[in-house]
Structures are given as C-alpha cells and as structure tokens.
C-alpha cells in the first residue's frame, strides 16, 4: 500500500472545478475551459506523499519551469496561458499557479537519459541494457552514456510505480508517427537543457517530460526540468562509480531508507514525518538548483 499519508482537501474557488489532486500539483478547470495548475509544497518518496511539506518548493518548481519553457520554446510550444491567480483564489497561490491550455495528454512519460543512474543502473548491472537498449560494457554508477537514450514509461496513478516500456510498445499504443515525434522532441529538449545546465556547472543526468496534443500539434505540459522531474548533479563533484551528490530530494530518500527513520519502506505502514533538518536541507537544495541554473537569487 502507498499513496497519501494524509490526502489534502481541495481548495474551493468560485468559478473553478477541482479535477485532481496529484503528488505535488492540484488541477482545476476554469469556466472558459482552461486548466489551472497549482504546485503545492508536498513532496513524495518511495511512492508515498509524505506528511511534511518543503517550504517554497511549489513556487521554485513553477518559476524554474517557466524559466525553462522560455529556453525551449523554439523546439516545442508549451501549455502556459498566464501566471495570474484566479479571482477568489488564496493569496498563497501567487507564484505557484499556471493557467494552461487544456491538452489531449499523450499517455506516455517521455524520459531522456544521458547518464547511468536509478532504475537504469539496476537493469544495466543485470543484463547490460537500459529499458531494453543495449549499452557497452564498462559503465558504472554515474557514467555518461555514449549518447543520450530515450526510455518511455507509462505513467502510474498516485502510489504506483511508472512502468518502463519498450519504444515499440509506445508505437503500438499511440501510433508510429507520434511515437517517433515524442522521441525526437524529448532528445532535442534534453540536449538543449543539458548544454545550458553544463554551462552553469550542473550535469543533467536524466529528465522526464509530458506532452499533449492541441489541434494536432505537440505541446509540452506539466513541469519541465525541475529537481522533481530531473536528476541534477554538481559537475565539479561528478565521480562515476558512486552515488552522485544531487539537487533533489535524494536526502529525503536516504533518510527514510536509513535506520534513523525507523521505517521499513517495504512494509505497508506509512512513512514517518521528516525531521526539521531534513526539510531545511531539502529546501536549500531546491533553492541552490534554482539559483545556479537561472543565475538569479531566490527571494
């Protein structure tokens, strides 16, 4: 069992219909058909949405996504209409709200990997492949791949694992032409973002995107290139053969998996609250990623 330790009640706003409460984002529909996406400060690990929030996290994710949208708009349009908070919404929504065009979402999570980590590392150690793609011998934890690879997944419900699938399976489900466009666009955006991050002393090890269709045109949606959807590593500390320092919630995973938490993640019991120092350290990592990438201070 997994999911929310305590599922929040949706905020009621005049003129908005609540559609979904996700791990981080709450989704509403406006009267004109636009979607209103609000990034909370919730955080998740091991398929659980944790009882603690990470202060400012939702705003950081939103502002960083907007920064990246501007830098990839020539590669793929995005779903953002405005950042204005709807009338009657809580003041706390400021800075964490995106008013978006409603897309016909493609049921594939598009993952680009440039380095060996996570589930890809586990598979590589077992049979020298990642999501069925053969890789050369001699790679290790954190190694750069000979070239970036595209490894799609089927997105799961809250509390479930996303399912890695072969590229051919996505082509069967959504059609060969759309599958090829997703792969091409994902790798193009990854390549652009990897180069931008590298200039700022950050390695973009891997990332995931979600796309939708609007009048037949591919549009990128949700969040992009944030510490929640990507593995960011400090380039000056990169050392293959070990787990890399990162700008994400790895500190949360490490604490939950340690004896200090007193929690067995393989049990059906929900995880315990995070200690204040873990919350603050995680917040600091999100802020550092934002500041290093954008070159501006988080206020």
């Amino acid at each position: 069992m997994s999911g929310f330790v305590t599922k929040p009640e949706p905020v009621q706003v005049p003129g908005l219909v609540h559609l979904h409460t996700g791990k981080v984002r709450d989704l509403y529909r406006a009267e004109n058909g636009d979607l209103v996406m609000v990034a909370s400060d919730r955080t998740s690990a091991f398929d659980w949405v944790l009882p603690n929030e990470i202060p400012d996290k939702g705003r950081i994710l939103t502002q960083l996504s907007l920064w990246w949208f501007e830098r990839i708009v020539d590669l793929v349009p995005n779903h953002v209409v405005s950042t204005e908070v709807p009338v009657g919404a809580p003041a706390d929504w400021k800075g964490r709200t995106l008013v978006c065009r409603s897309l016909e979402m493609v049921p594939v999570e598009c993952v680009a990997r440039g380095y060996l980590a996570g589930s890809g590392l586990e598979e590589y150690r077992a049979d020298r492949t990642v999501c069925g793609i053969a890789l050369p011998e001699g790679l290790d934890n954190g190694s750069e791949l000979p070239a970036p690879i595209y490894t799609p997944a089927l997105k799961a419900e809250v509390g479930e694992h996303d399912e890695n699938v072969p590229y051919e399976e996505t082509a069967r489900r959504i059609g060969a032409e759309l599958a090829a466009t997703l792969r091409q666009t994902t790798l193009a955006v990854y390549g652009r973002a990897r180069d931008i991050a590298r200039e700022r002393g950050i390695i973009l090890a891997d990332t995931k995107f979600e796309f939708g269709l609007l009048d037949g045109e591919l549009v990128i949606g949700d969040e992009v290139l944030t510490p929640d959807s990507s593995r960011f590593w400090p380039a000056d500390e990169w050392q293959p053969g070990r787990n890399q320092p990162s700008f994400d919630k790895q500190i949360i995973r490490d604490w939950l998996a340690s004896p200090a938490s007193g929690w067995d993640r393989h049990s059906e019991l929900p995880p315990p609250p995070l200690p204040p120092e873990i919350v603050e350290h995680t917040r600091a990592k999100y802020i550092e990623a934002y500041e290093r990438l954008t070159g501006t201070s988080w206020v």
Side-chain angles (χ1 to χ4, degrees):
M1 180 180 177
S2 53
F4 289 89
V5 174
T6 303
K7 189 169 184 178
E9 290 294 324
V11 176
Q12 300 299 318
V13 178
L16 299 185
V17 176
H18 176 259
L19 300 178
H20 179 66
T21 297
K23 291 181 179 179
V24 174
R25 287 165 183 79
D26 297 314
L27 191 63
Y28 298 81
R29 187 178 300 281
E31 292 175 334
N32 67 356
D34 286 342
L35 297 179
V36 178
M37 190 168 66
V38 185
S40 73
D41 292 338
R42 295 191 294 270
T43 194
S44 63
F46 301 121
D47 298 318
W48 282 97
V49 180
L50 304 178
N52 301 75
E53 293 190 339
I54 307 299
D56 291 323
K57 179 189 169 190
R59 291 187 178 87
I60 294 168
L61 298 183
T62 301
Q63 299 308 310
L64 191 54
S65 289
L66 288 167
W67 187 86
W68 279 113
F69 280 140
E70 293 179 358
R71 282 151 184 81
I72 62 172
V73 71
D74 60 314
L75 299 177
V76 60
N78 61 72
H79 64 163
V80 178
V81 174
S82 80
T83 58
E84 297 214 0
V85 176
V87 175
D92 181 63
W93 281 20
K94 184 177 181 180
R96 63 174 77 241
T97 298
L98 296 179
V99 180
C100 308
R101 293 173 289 179
S102 181
L103 308 177
E104 179 190 349
M105 297 306 295
V106 180
V108 175
E109 193 160 74
C110 299
V111 180
R113 303 174 189 260
Y115 292 75
L116 196 58
S119 62
L121 174 64
E122 294 176 11
E123 182 182 335
Y124 175 81
R125 284 174 168 169
D127 54 21
R128 298 298 182 264
T129 64
V130 173
C131 298
I133 299 172
L135 293 174
E137 295 281 344
L139 301 180
D140 206 339
N141 187 0
S143 291
E144 185 172 8
L145 303 181
I149 59 175
Y150 172 66
T151 59
L154 300 181
K155 190 167 179 62
E157 295 298 319
V158 174
E160 301 294 332
H161 286 290
D162 294 339
E163 178 189 357
N164 293 333
V165 293
Y167 170 76
E168 292 74 19
E169 174 63 15
T170 66
R172 185 187 70 80
R173 292 191 180 212
I174 64 175
E177 183 177 356
L178 179 55
T181 301
L182 289 177
R183 177 169 61 183
Q184 178 184 1
T185 306
T186 296
L187 291 175
V189 173
Y190 172 79
R192 169 76 57 81
R194 174 201 58 197
D195 293 346
I196 291 173
R198 186 176 290 160
E199 293 171 356
R200 290 155 171 80
I202 290 179
I203 290 173
L204 175 58
D206 55 44
T207 192
K208 57 185 178 181
F209 305 116
E210 293 190 39
F211 295 94
L213 297 172
L214 183 66
D215 299 328
E217 181 182 29
L218 192 69
V219 176
I220 196 166
D222 199 49
E223 65 177 326
V224 292
L225 298 157
T226 72
D228 266 19
S229 64
S230 315
R231 280 189 177 90
F232 291 121
W233 299 335
D236 59 355
E237 298 182 57
W238 174 57
Q239 183 180 321
R242 62 169 191 177
N243 290 333
Q244 310 301 315
S246 60
F247 296 102
D248 60 18
K249 56 189 177 186
Q250 188 60 45
I251 184 175
I252 293 176
R253 298 188 193 99
D254 291 346
W255 183 81
L256 287 172
S258 75
S261 74
W263 180 60
D264 177 4
R265 69 185 181 95
H266 300 292
S267 74
E268 294 188 357
L269 296 175
L274 303 173
E277 62 271 19
I278 298 296
V279 171
E280 183 52 39
H281 192 172
T282 303
R283 177 179 181 270
K285 283 296 181 184
Y286 278 88
I287 290 174
E288 185 180 356
Y290 174 88
E291 292 183 339
R292 290 183 63 166
L293 286 167
T294 67
T296 58
S297 296
W298 178 255
V299 182

